[in-house]
């Protein structure tokens, strides 16, 4: 009999209730995933106040007692105006809509041919359960219990998806105010694609989204993932991005977080092949009481791979930032080059950042480096700009924008680069 | 152009300038020399508007205005330029972009239209030649990874771009080899005309072989204790500062 204290009992009870309420009205081939997820939660519970991985981000507390998690999920009414706007803005791109986590095939627009892009509902892919990550994180397990909607996006061998694939995740309180979604991205050998994920809230209601992206990047494939988060100040978000890279593949992740009440991004990259490159970029601008947490892990299993990581934060008011970057270099992973950097600027005395690099290296012939800096705006730099005639506010915003620019400049899609730069400038009040 | 009367300033609790008097007219070059810690750099920085220093007394009149009343950026827009002893590295801001922003803010202040791209590039090219600075350097992050000489040349390039009325060169020669020094000095000399003035703060007489001053002032313990022509600098080179200090202390006793 275990004496371990289980936290989040109410959430576990709700999950159990949810599964029985499904009453067979669920994707049959995901049954094992539900069962195993629930077993994991019963065994381990949700993270308590001292749980190492969640000690700065009290997600259990943020969602307990605030949502009716026992009720089966529905997408509710659609924010049609918003959907129309988005379609107009991105005419010519592939657009997929997820309202409160539920995939809406009818509203989605696929412009690419089936030859270069294949999209199926999770329900239609009997092999989907094999592509679902294990339950190594309580929210991952919770996602596995609840997920009943999502897609498998597959890029065939040797194909390049010419148009980017845009996924819009809209949180809205339309009678339902929470969602669980899981999408699976299968990039076959030597394929290439850009995926852009927009996460935002419609209105200011209390919402919760628990989302998973699983990327299988096969040999020699090149995949870019962009994630843009603009949730409302009452939105709680937790996302797990699990990436599995085979030999000679390139995977690049960009995460831009602007708003939200509590946002937690887990990015786990398992590099299980030689000659791989993994890039992780992040930019978070927090204000008000927003709490933004990025946990990343790159696990080097095979030799001759490179990983680069650059996360930058600008934190104002009473906002909080958390960065934890794990780099594992297994014994076999000789000749690994792994670089990590996290830089933060705190704009107020009440802004906080918790930053922790975590390198665990078992191989002996590797190049690894990490660095983190936290500071206020550099007064010396501001004076330098002012001494050339630039006013104080402009000087501040120039320095902040330059800081953010170190991440933005790596964006490969021109229109997205401009869009992100505009958002950052607007936030930093640069004209 | 510039009239400093009994200027006193301190940083935190430490008095550094204890009553400076100095008048600079258009077309003149003044050199401020003195041993370490005498207040030379402080004077240049106070004039440029650095807020770390607190002015506790005296006045500074510049082109008929109370200079101490102006913020650092306003002083720059009115034609004051400080070449930094330690130019700041600013990642992500290129010199080109920096100069474009600065020039246009100055022009806006003067009620002028922003410089168009062609006009700006023309001006850049012209001034680059003056300090033998390469385009590639200006497209890089400001001063980041620049050598000491490149940083100082970049300062003079910026000065050339902004065409100040009063340039303050704060130890611009420190750490430069002769070739770099010559380039920097040539730049400064080329910018000189009858309407602008230069104050050169330096520890070494060597610079004054290249930028020939009309007046040399010796600063000691926060006061100008001796003024003369360029011959004074040569004498200082020969005899050091001790004889001035001795004379001074003798006079006080």
């Amino acid at each position: 009999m275990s004496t371990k204290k289980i936290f989040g009992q109410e959430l576990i009870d709700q999950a159990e209730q949810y599964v029985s309420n499904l009453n067979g009205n669920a994707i049959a081939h995901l049954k094992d995933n539900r069962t195993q997820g629930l077993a994991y939660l019963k065994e381990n519970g949700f993270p308590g106040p001292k749980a190492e991985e969640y000690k700065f981000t009290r997600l259990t507390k943020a969602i307990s007692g605030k949502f009716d998690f026992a009720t089966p999920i529905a997408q509710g009414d659609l924010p049609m105006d918003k959907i129309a706007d988005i379609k107009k803005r991105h005419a010519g791109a592939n657009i997929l809509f997820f309202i409160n986590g539920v995939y809406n095939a009818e509203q989605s627009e696929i412009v690419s041919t089936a030859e270069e892009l294949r999209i199926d509902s999770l329900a239609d892919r009997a092999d989907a359960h094999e592509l679902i990550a294990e339950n190594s994180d309580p929210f991952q397990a919770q996602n596995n219990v609840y997920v009943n909607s999502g897609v498998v996006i597959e890029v065939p061998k040797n194909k390049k998806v010419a148009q980017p694939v845009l996924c819009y995740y809209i949180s809205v309180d339309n009678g339902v105010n929470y969602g669980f979604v899981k999408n699976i991205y299968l990039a076959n050998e030597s394929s290439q694609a850009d995926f852009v994920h927009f996460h935002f809230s419609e209105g200011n209601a209390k919402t919760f989204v628990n989302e998973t992206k699983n990327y299988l990047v096969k040999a020699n494939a090149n995949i870019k993932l962009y994630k843009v988060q603009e949730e409302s100040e009452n939105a709680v978000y937790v996302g797990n991005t699990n990436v599995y890279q085979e030999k000679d593949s390139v995977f690049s992740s960009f995460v831009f977080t602007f708003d939200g009440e509590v946002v937690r991004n887990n990015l786990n990259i398992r590099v299980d092949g030689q000659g791989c490159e993994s890039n992780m970029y992040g930019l978070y601008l927090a204000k008000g009481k927003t709490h933004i947490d990025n946990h990343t892990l790159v696990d080097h299993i095979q030799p001759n791979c490179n990983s680069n990581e650059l996360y930058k934060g600008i934190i104002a008011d009473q906002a909080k930032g958390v960065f934890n970057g794990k780099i594992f270099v297994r014994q076999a992973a000789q000749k690994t080059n792994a670089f990590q950097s996290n830089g933060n600027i705190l704009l107020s005395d009440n802004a906080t950042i918790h930053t922790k690099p975590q390198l665990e290296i078992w191989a002996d012939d590797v190049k690894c480096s990490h660095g983190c800096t936290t500071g206020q705006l550099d007064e010396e730099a501001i004076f330098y700009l002012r001494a050339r005639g630039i006013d104080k506010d402009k000087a501040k915003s120039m320095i902040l924008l330059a800081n953010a620019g170190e991440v933005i400049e790596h964006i490969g899609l021109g229109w997205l680069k401009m869009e992100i730069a505009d958002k950052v400038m607007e936030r930093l009040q640069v004209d | 152009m510039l009239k400093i009367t009994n200027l006193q300033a301190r940083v935190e609790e430490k008095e550094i300038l204890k009553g400076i008097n100095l008048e600079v007219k258009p077309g003149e070059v003044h050199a401020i020399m003195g041993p370490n810690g005498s207040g030379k750099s402080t004077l240049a920085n106070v004039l440029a508007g650095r807020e770390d220093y607190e002015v506790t007394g005296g006045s500074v009149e510049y082109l008929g205005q109370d200079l101490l009343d102006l913020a650092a950026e306003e002083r720059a827009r009115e034609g004051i330029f400080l070449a930094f002893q330690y130019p700041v590295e600013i990642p992500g801001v290129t010199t080109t972009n920096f100069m474009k922003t600065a020039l246009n803010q100055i022009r806006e202040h003067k009620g002028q239209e922003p410089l168009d791209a062609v006009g700006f590039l023309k001006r850049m090219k012209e001034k680059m030649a003056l300090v033998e600075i390469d385009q590639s350097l200006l497209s890089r992050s400001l001063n980041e990874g620049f050598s000491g000489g490149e940083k100082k040349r970049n300062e003079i390039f910026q000065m050339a771009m902004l065409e100040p009325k009063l340039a303050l060169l704060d130890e611009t020669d420190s750490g430069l080899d002769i070739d770099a020094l010559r380039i920097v000095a040539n730049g400064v000399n080329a910018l000189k005309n009858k309407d602008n003035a230069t104050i050169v703060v330096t520890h070494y007489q060597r610079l004054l072989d290249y930028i020939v001053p009309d007046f040399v002032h010796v600063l000691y313990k926060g006061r100008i204790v001796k003024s003369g022509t360029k011959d004074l600098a040569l004498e200082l080179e020969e005899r050091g500062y001790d004889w001035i200090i001795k004379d001074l202390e003798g006079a006080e006793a």
Side-chain angles (χ1 to χ4, degrees):
Chain A
M1 181 78 193
S2 167
T3 54
K4 188 162 71 176
K5 178 155 170 46
I6 296 289
F7 286 92
Q9 190 58 52
E10 177 199 320
L11 296 171
I12 300 167
D13 293 345
Q14 284 177 328
E16 197 160 20
Q17 187 63 48
Y18 166 85
V19 172
S20 77
N21 285 352
L22 279 175
N23 223 353
N25 188 14
I27 301 174
H29 54 260
L30 297 183
K31 185 167 184 286
D32 287 350
N33 299 94
R34 282 191 290 275
T35 311
Q36 286 157 14
L38 195 55
Y40 177 94
L41 290 179
K42 284 182 170 174
E43 168 70 23
N44 299 288
F46 281 84
K50 287 183 181 158
E52 184 59 28
E53 290 302 311
Y54 286 89
K55 64 182 173 187
F56 297 119
T57 302
R58 305 280 301 278
L59 267 176
T60 308
K61 195 175 153 207
I63 61 170
S64 291
K66 299 194 173 74
F67 300 91
D68 178 18
F69 286 129
T71 315
I73 300 163
Q75 64 182 339
D77 295 333
L78 302 179
M80 288 310 297
D81 291 354
K82 199 84 206 177
I83 289 174
D85 274 0
I86 292 165
K87 286 184 182 177
K88 203 169 145 194
R89 197 149 68 92
H90 299 293
N94 296 294
I95 313 175
L96 284 74
F97 287 97
F98 301 87
I99 315 299
N100 286 337
V102 180
Y103 176 54
N104 189 306
E106 198 179 314
Q107 291 302 329
S108 299
E109 286 189 358
I110 310 302
V111 296
S112 296
T113 61
E115 265 202 350
E116 63 179 41
L117 186 67
R118 183 179 156 194
I119 299 177
D120 297 300
S121 149
L122 273 183
D124 298 332
R125 287 283 297 241
D127 60 343
H129 65 282
E130 295 165 9
L131 308 172
I132 288 176
E134 55 193 290
N135 302 295
S136 54
D137 168 278
F139 293 97
Q140 180 80 73
Q142 189 194 32
N143 183 279
N144 282 343
V145 173
Y146 279 86
V147 156
N148 205 16
S149 173
V151 290
V152 178
I153 301 180
E154 185 164 359
V155 186
K157 188 173 165 179
N158 297 334
K159 292 291 178 193
K160 177 185 174 182
V161 184
Q163 292 302 324
V165 181
L166 314 184
C167 298
Y168 269 89
Y169 305 85
I170 307 175
S171 302
V172 55
D173 184 359
N174 52 13
V176 184
N177 62 349
Y178 63 92
F180 294 84
V181 61
K182 185 190 297 289
N183 293 329
I184 292 163
Y185 306 82
L186 260 173
N188 285 297
E189 196 179 306
S190 301
S191 64
Q192 194 179 333
D194 295 324
F195 296 95
V196 189
H197 302 271
F198 293 95
H199 299 259
F200 71 95
S201 315
E202 178 67 358
N204 221 8
K206 182 91 191 163
T207 55
F208 173 66
V209 170
N210 176 335
E211 189 246 345
T212 299
K213 300 173 171 65
N214 287 349
Y215 280 83
L216 267 76
V217 186
K218 300 217 168 161
N220 206 36
N222 188 329
I223 294 300
K224 287 196 174 74
L225 152 65
Y226 300 94
K227 186 170 173 183
V228 184
Q229 300 176 292
E230 290 180 282
E231 301 278 3
S232 84
E233 61 187 30
N234 295 310
V236 180
Y237 169 91
V238 55
N240 281 282
T241 299
N242 304 302
V243 183
Y244 181 84
Q245 280 185 260
E246 290 184 0
K247 66 175 180 182
D248 303 320
S249 63
V250 180
F251 180 83
S252 305
S253 162
F254 294 79
V255 180
F256 301 96
T257 311
F258 293 95
D259 288 297
E261 179 190 338
V262 180
V263 176
R264 165 66 176 246
N265 297 311
N266 293 326
L267 171 62
N268 304 308
I269 304 181
R270 205 173 136 87
V271 190
D272 200 2
Q274 294 201 37
C276 290
E277 181 182 318
S278 317
N279 300 304
M280 295 162 277
Y281 296 102
L283 176 65
Y284 41 98
L285 306 183
K287 66 172 176 12
K289 291 183 172 170
T290 291
H291 179 115
I292 300 172
D293 178 347
N294 280 292
H295 268 59
T296 68
L297 161 65
V298 56
D299 190 355
H300 288 285
I301 299 165
Q302 304 272 359
N304 298 310
C305 293
N306 296 336
S307 66
N308 301 297
E309 178 164 33
L310 175 64
Y311 270 70
K312 298 224 130 194
I314 297 171
I315 303 163
D317 307 330
Q318 301 150 63
K320 281 193 176 65
V322 181
F323 174 81
N324 179 295
K326 294 186 185 67
I327 299 176
F328 296 164
V329 182
R330 307 284 172 181
Q331 194 157 12
Q334 301 293 356
K335 307 281 183 194
T336 294
N337 290 322
F339 302 105
Q340 179 187 89
S341 167
N342 173 233
N344 297 286
I345 295 178
L346 303 179
L347 293 179
S348 98
D349 291 343
N350 297 317
T352 319
I353 176 76
H354 300 280
T355 173
K356 184 182 176 192
Q358 202 176 323
L359 275 61
E360 295 182 28
I361 301 168
W362 292 274
D364 51 19
D365 183 13
V366 301
K367 275 188 209 146
C368 294
S369 72
H370 67 87
C372 57
T373 57
T374 296
Q376 291 171 330
L377 260 178
D378 183 355
E379 289 296 330
E380 192 61 26
I382 293 169
F383 177 64
Y384 191 57
L385 300 185
R386 292 177 69 200
R388 300 294 177 255
I390 297 170
D391 68 52
K392 205 172 184 171
D393 287 344
K394 178 84 183 169
K396 282 184 182 174
S397 57
M398 271 178 88
I399 292 168
L400 291 174
L401 183 62
N403 223 282
E406 288 179 49
V407 173
I408 296 171
E409 69 181 12
H410 296 282
I411 299 176
L413 296 166
W415 61 269
L416 185 63
K417 189 187 268 187
M418 277 168 61
E419 209 165 279
I420 297 293
D422 282 350
K423 277 187 214 298
V424 170
M425 283 194 267
E426 190 188 311
R427 172 63 70 83
L428 300 175
Q429 287 169 346
V430 188
D431 50 52
Chain B
M1 170 181 265
L2 182 76
K3 189 161 191 265
I4 305 174
T5 311
N6 193 27
L7 180 65
Q8 297 154 53
R10 66 178 177 193
V11 59
E12 285 161 4
E13 290 307 301
K14 196 169 182 285
E15 300 287 340
I16 299 179
L17 301 183
K18 297 173 185 166
I20 301 276
N21 294 293
L22 180 68
E23 191 167 351
V24 178
K25 296 198 174 72
E28 291 178 350
V29 176
H30 289 246
I32 311 271
M33 301 189 70
N36 283 334
S38 58
K40 305 186 296 287
S41 280
T42 301
L43 176 60
N45 279 283
V46 165
L47 293 177
R50 189 188 283 272
E51 285 159 355
D52 304 342
Y53 299 100
E54 187 193 346
V55 173
T56 51
S59 65
V60 181
E61 195 189 305
Y62 169 70
L63 298 176
Q65 305 177 70
D66 178 359
L67 184 73
L68 302 176
D69 224 26
L70 303 178
E73 58 269 34
E74 292 169 325
R75 297 182 197 195
R77 292 169 190 174
E78 291 294 330
I80 288 189
F81 182 92
L82 173 67
F84 280 57
Q85 181 178 6
Y86 304 111
V88 184
E89 299 190 2
I90 307 185
V93 176
T94 63
T95 306
T96 306
N97 194 17
F98 173 40
M99 279 297 100
K100 201 179 282 169
T101 308
L103 256 180
N104 285 335
Q105 286 222 334
I106 292 170
R107 291 177 72 90
E108 191 185 325
H109 172 77
K110 291 178 178 163
Q112 298 167 333
E113 289 292 308
L115 211 55
D116 63 30
V118 177
F120 178 76
L121 280 175
K122 188 165 168 273
R123 189 158 170 160
M124 284 261 297
K125 281 228 166 74
E126 203 182 295
K127 307 302 184 186
M128 274 157 54
L130 194 69
V131 288
E132 300 175 33
I133 204 163
D134 200 62
Q135 171 75 51
S136 64
L137 210 61
L138 303 183
S139 314
R140 275 168 49 189
S141 285
L142 190 52
N143 293 324
E144 199 181 35
F146 285 25
S147 70
E150 286 170 337
K151 283 183 184 171
K152 296 298 172 80
R153 265 192 281 161
N154 193 5
E155 291 295 288
I156 304 305
F157 166 73
Q158 292 172 32
M159 177 176 152
M161 288 295 287
L162 302 181
E163 295 178 341
K165 295 194 182 85
L166 175 64
L168 310 163
L169 308 185
D170 186 8
E171 309 243 3
T172 297
D173 54 325
S174 305
L176 290 190
D177 62 37
I178 295 280
D179 290 337
L181 179 65
R182 197 179 292 130
I183 294 170
V184 163
N186 286 345
V188 173
N189 290 331
L191 295 170
K192 220 172 96 172
N193 62 40
K194 65 177 179 23
D195 298 320
N196 61 26
T198 310
I199 297 177
V200 183
V201 170
T202 183
H203 188 72
Y204 305 103
Q205 182 272 335
R206 189 185 63 169
L207 175 67
L208 307 180
D209 289 343
Y210 299 93
I211 301 174
V212 180
D214 299 298
F215 302 96
V216 174
H217 310 278
V218 177
L219 200 61
Y220 178 65
K221 287 190 177 169
R223 287 192 183 89
I224 290 177
V225 295
K226 197 166 181 68
S227 296
T229 62
K230 65 178 192 310
D231 296 338
L232 176 57
L234 292 171
E235 196 171 356
L236 290 170
E237 175 76 356
E238 193 101 340
R239 300 173 62 190
Y241 291 103
D242 288 355
W243 61 281
I244 296 181
I245 295 165
K246 210 171 278 171
D247 278 4
L248 195 69
E249 279 162 1
E252 272 171 12

